[in-house]
Amino acid sequence: MWLGLMVRVLTIDHIREIIQRIGIEACFSQLIDVLRDDFSRWQDFEKMPRIAHHFKRGVIELMPICGKDYYAYKYVNGHPYNPKQNKLTVVATGMLSEVESGYPILISEMTILTALRTAATGALAATYLARKNSKTLGIIGTGSQSEFQALAFHIALGVNRIKYFDIDEKAMQKFADNLSAFHLTLIPCKDAQSTVENVDVVITMTADKKRSRILEDRWIRAGMHINGVGGDCPGKTELDPAILKRAKIVVEYLEQSRIEGEIQNLKDPIYAELWQLTSQEKAGRESDDDITLFDAVGFALEDYTVLKYFYSLSEKMNIGELLPMIPSIDDPKNLFGLLS
Ligand SMILES: NC(=O)c1ccc[n+]([C@@H]2O[C@H](COP(=O)([O-])OP(=O)(O)OC[C@H]3O[C@@H](n4cnc5c(N)ncnc54)[C@H](O)[C@@H]3O)[C@@H](O)[C@H]2O)c1
């Protein structure tokens, strides 16, 4: 006899099975839609900047958010030197619960879900900020997040040519191998500067715990859109600060981005939060000459959305394990009786 109520648990295998059943393209396009809906309901959520513990070699963060019906949190790290020890830079797990009772309904792996939601959120922002006829994407840093980003931008913007560069040749080869099944023109580059030449959109997603200058201001031409992903911690940024002065900047949640984003290197006000674009309170790109920047750090709402989306898919597909995680007793005051 089970002594507990069942909570759905989604492991890496379950998440992989769900994605394989719907297909990664459909998964991204649906996820972009649900993210747009949730960002447009911005006022429905109780928000706070994530809680971060910083170490010399990385950061560990807790990311909570509360909506009207559901509460979610994610545990995530960022350890840029982990790959040298054969470990991922970013791993994550998370939970979704019902506000009404406070009972958890889902415990999930979130390493893959983080890569999916980060790519889908960047692609969502790019639908408002990139030029409509964008054809070429430049990617700097071809680590764990990179294929997810390439596919999400391909699906959202229709970009088919991808220039890419990483200081690690093995990571570049892996990127090309993983994307060979998709109809993309892949162009390896010898450095960051040549990657940025003649691209419409550039994504930076390198990992280092310092103020880097992955993109120099003089490389950035009118009309470009930048999705800055790797600058997401105090003292960890990727862009020449002069770019920030020229760009129309959009962030997820200003209170958190001021601490963690590229804009920690900027005193001036920024243009908008993403929800203002999705709810049409503010325009996205207004001219073909605008330089636009989505200064992504990763916000709890994206985790909430991806958890809810995968929860609903797992229920429909009957995928996942149901584990007795909540005490099930006739007398709710007799918790001790459970032990006898
Ligand atoms: N904004 C968000 O929501 C979000 C979400 C996930 C990850 N991230 C951040 O994105 C970055 C990438 O994450 P990941 O999981 O792909 O990490 P990863 O370690 O798997 O990949 C990073 C890649 O960057 C390359 N690199 C480092 N310095 C470089 C340089 N100067 N030029 C070119 N390439 C360089 C490395 O060789 C590596 O292949 C990390 O900084 C991570 O913290 C942000």
Side-chain angles (χ1 to χ4, degrees):
M1 190 190 83
W2 295 115
L3 293 177
L5 291 178
M6 300 299 176
V7 174
R8 189 173 289 272
V9 176
L10 294 179
T11 63
I12 309 282
D13 290 348
H14 298 134
I15 296 293
R16 186 171 63 168
E17 194 182 339
I18 292 171
I19 297 171
Q20 282 176 349
R21 280 217 210 159
I22 48 173
I24 187 118
E25 286 100 336
C27 176
F28 269 126
S29 99
Q30 289 168 19
L31 187 53
I32 291 168
D33 285 346
V34 287
L35 280 163
R36 184 183 289 110
D37 291 347
D38 281 348
F39 268 96
S40 302
R41 298 192 298 115
W42 188 249
Q43 315 305 344
D44 287 354
F45 296 94
E46 275 181 45
K47 304 168 279 286
M48 62 191 289
R50 59 186 159 199
I51 303 149
H53 296 273
H54 297 279
F55 315 98
K56 221 162 99 189
R57 300 180 64 78
V59 63
I60 292 179
E61 297 162 331
L62 210 52
M63 303 174 67
I65 188 159
C66 192
K68 287 203 184 317
D69 299 326
Y70 298 98
Y71 173 98
Y73 78 82
K74 178 170 83 176
Y75 165 97
V76 64
N77 77 320
H79 282 64
Y81 313 116
N82 266 1
K84 289 200 175 83
Q85 266 91 47
N86 255 341
K87 292 191 167 97
L88 288 150
T89 296
V90 175
V91 297
T93 58
M95 201 179 89
L96 188 68
S97 61
E98 281 174 348
V99 166
E100 171 95 2
S101 61
Y103 274 28
I105 55 170
L106 174 69
I107 297 170
S108 182
E109 91 75 41
M110 287 199 78
T111 305
I112 296 169
L113 296 192
T114 295
L116 287 172
R117 68 71 150 147
T118 305
T121 306
L124 169 66
T127 62
Y128 298 94
L129 295 172
R131 286 201 324 278
K132 288 290 167 246
N133 58 351
S134 293
K135 292 193 171 56
T136 308
L137 172 66
I139 288 185
I140 303 173
T142 57
S144 293
Q145 310 297 319
S146 59
E147 297 89 349
F148 296 88
Q149 295 274 338
L151 289 176
F153 276 67
H154 166 61
I155 284 147
L157 301 183
V159 287
N160 287 317
R161 289 180 83 239
I162 302 183
K163 298 175 75 181
Y164 60 100
F165 168 69
D166 195 294
I167 47 173
D168 174 7
E169 277 177 26
K170 246 177 78 188
M172 287 181 70
Q173 190 55 53
K174 171 240 30 164
F175 178 80
D177 292 346
N178 282 337
L179 292 180
S180 62
F182 299 89
H183 298 289
L184 299 168
T185 306
L186 299 173
I187 306 161
C189 297
K190 64 176 190 324
D191 54 26
Q193 184 173 3
S194 55
T195 311
V196 173
E197 274 163 21
N198 299 319
V199 300
D200 305 298
V201 178
V202 59
I203 305 176
T204 56
M205 44 188 161
T206 64
D208 209 340
K209 208 164 162 36
K210 63 177 188 194
R211 286 175 203 266
S212 307
R213 280 168 74 133
I214 301 299
L215 290 185
E216 295 289 347
D217 183 46
R218 63 181 186 281
W219 305 344
I220 307 303
R221 291 180 328 277
M224 256 187 192
H225 172 61
I226 304 165
N227 183 35
V229 181
D232 59 359
C233 253
K236 177 170 177 269
T237 53
E238 293 180 304
L239 307 187
D240 177 349
I243 297 171
L244 308 179
K245 294 275 184 193
R246 292 166 67 203
K248 190 172 190 176
I249 303 174
V250 175
V251 299
E252 291 137 313
Y253 176 47
L254 185 57
E255 207 179 321
Q256 183 180 311
S257 303
R258 272 279 173 223
I259 306 167
E260 301 175 348
E262 294 298 329
I263 61 166
Q264 64 187 274
N265 297 328
L266 181 79
K267 294 277 173 281
D268 310 351
I270 58 117
Y271 176 67
E273 289 178 323
L274 181 55
W275 70 272
Q276 294 175 295
L277 306 191
T278 62
S279 55
Q280 281 157 20
E281 189 183 296
K282 285 195 176 175
R285 169 175 292 274
E286 286 168 302
S287 129
D288 271 358
D289 288 337
D290 280 348
I291 293 168
T292 52
L293 165 64
F294 181 55
D295 180 10
V297 294
F299 181 53
L301 178 55
E302 296 147 36
D303 303 315
Y304 171 102
T305 304
V306 77
L307 279 172
K308 252 183 65 189
Y309 173 60
F310 272 81
Y311 181 68
S312 125
L313 289 173
S314 67
E315 276 200 311
K316 271 187 218 138
M317 296 175 180
N318 198 17
I319 290 176
E321 214 161 318
L322 297 176
L323 295 180
M325 300 292 284
I326 309 288
S328 161
I329 39 184
D330 293 336
D331 176 358
K333 298 188 180 177
N334 189 15
L335 180 62
F336 193 79
L338 198 82
L339 302 180
S340 59

